[in-house]
């Protein structure tokens, strides 16, 4: 099969093997009772951070990288391999999928080479969530896993401690933030859709639920009305 030269060029510009001085490893651990976490970080120039976390075959992982630098991306690498399952510079800064094997996976956060040469800085927020394939949704059937129907109201759940869920003008992490919600906040369900392999849900806000916005559906569970 012939691979388009453009894809090869993008991959080459995205990242090249780093020296030990450039590459930093951080072991990711979730708080007790939680299936995910959010990490705030910063890289400059050729700095690369590998976020390492153990997982089992069949578990589903959801990764979302929000950043203030358009040249800042992440790759997802399986245990013992430099062949990425997901390449952010090609496929974007969101990924959801089932993991192929047991072992330590690496979420590699880096800067495109052109930006690294200019010694640019990226401030980012990396969200990671893991659940057993099928098990999590069977145990919690009211998770926002549908694109239509569902309950009348959602409650925000699973947001990391001392963090908030961004409400955006449109689905996707590049849309403007118009508000934030905390765990336990209740909103009206106005339907969900898939965007770049992530599920986004439109919600009603405010006392009369007339204001609307979009949030990542993995942080919503069924709730009674306000």
């Amino acid at each position: 099969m012939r691979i388009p030269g453009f894809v090869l060029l993008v991959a080459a510009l995205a990242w090249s093997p780093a020296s030990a001085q450039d590459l930093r490893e951080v072991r990711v651990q979730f708080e007790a009772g939680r299936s995910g976490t959010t990490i705030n970080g910063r890289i400059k120039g050729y700095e690369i951070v590998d976020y390492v976390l153990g997982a089992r075959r069949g578990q589903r992982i959801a990764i979302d990288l929000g950043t203030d630098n358009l040249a800042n991306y992440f790759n997802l690498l399986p245990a013992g391999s430099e062949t990425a399952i997901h390449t952010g510079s090609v496929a974007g800064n969101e990924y959801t999928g089932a993991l192929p094997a047991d072992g330590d996976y690496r979420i590699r956060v880096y800067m495109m080479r052109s930006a690294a040469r200019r010694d640019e800085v990226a401030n980012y927020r990396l969200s990671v969530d893991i659940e057993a394939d099928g098990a999590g949704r069977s145990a919690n059937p009211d998770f926002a896993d549908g694109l239509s129907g569902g309950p009348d109201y959602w409650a925000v759940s699973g947001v990391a401690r001392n963090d908030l869920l961004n409400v955006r003008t449109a689905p996707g992490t590049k849309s403007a933030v118009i508000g934030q919600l905390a765990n336990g906040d209740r909103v009206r369900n106005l339907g969900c859709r898939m965007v770049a392999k992530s599920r986004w849900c439109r919600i009603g806000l405010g006392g009369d639920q007339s204001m609307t916005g979009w949030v990542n559906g993995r942080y919503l569970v069924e709730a009674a009305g306000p």
Side-chain angles (χ1 to χ4, degrees):
M1 180 179 67
R2 186 173 180 270
I3 301 175
F6 173 74
V7 174
L8 292 176
L9 176 60
V10 170
L13 291 175
W15 181 86
S16 60
S19 68
Q21 185 176 1
D22 294 325
L23 181 62
R24 177 166 55 94
E25 289 187 3
V26 176
R27 171 65 66 171
V28 178
Q29 294 182 329
F30 300 155
E31 293 182 9
R34 294 192 178 276
S35 62
T37 190
T38 300
I39 302 164
N40 293 310
R42 180 181 185 273
I43 57 173
K44 181 179 181 181
Y46 287 100
E47 291 178 345
I48 298 171
V49 183
D50 273 3
Y51 292 99
V52 183
L53 68 163
R56 298 187 305 275
R57 178 182 179 183
Q59 285 187 299
R60 294 187 65 81
I61 189 168
I63 308 171
D64 185 350
L65 180 69
T67 178
D68 63 2
N69 191 313
L70 295 178
N72 181 202
Y73 294 99
F74 78 87
N75 292 351
L76 177 60
L77 307 174
S81 174
E82 292 292 328
T83 302
I85 296 173
H86 172 86
T87 302
S89 59
V90 176
N93 271 338
E94 297 181 15
Y95 175 78
T96 302
L99 298 173
D102 296 352
D104 278 347
Y105 287 79
R106 294 173 179 268
I107 303 171
R108 176 162 292 170
V109 178
Y110 62 92
M111 200 90 73
M112 295 286 283
R113 190 183 304 171
S114 57
R117 280 199 301 264
R118 294 190 295 269
D119 217 24
E120 291 186 13
V121 172
N123 298 287
Y124 59 85
R125 174 175 290 187
L126 178 68
S127 297
V128 184
D129 189 89
I130 293 182
E131 66 178 7
D133 187 21
R137 293 184 184 179
S138 298
N140 184 10
D142 297 326
F143 179 84
D145 57 356
L147 300 182
S148 62
D152 291 332
Y153 292 92
W154 300 120
V156 177
S157 177
V159 178
R161 183 185 300 176
N162 300 322
D163 200 3
L164 295 170
L165 176 63
N166 286 332
V167 182
R168 299 181 182 271
T169 56
T173 56
K174 294 183 180 179
S175 301
V177 176
I178 58 173
Q180 294 181 311
L181 299 170
N183 284 328
D185 285 347
R186 285 178 287 182
V187 295
R188 181 179 290 277
N189 173 21
L190 301 178
C192 301
R193 58 181 288 193
M194 296 299 295
V195 176
K197 299 183 181 180
S198 291
R199 186 171 292 101
W200 286 80
C201 298
R202 186 167 175 256
I203 58 172
L205 303 162
D208 59 358
Q209 307 289 303
S210 61
M211 298 172 58
T212 64
W214 291 83
V215 299
N216 194 309
R218 72 173 180 264
Y219 296 108
L220 300 177
V221 296
E222 183 177 351

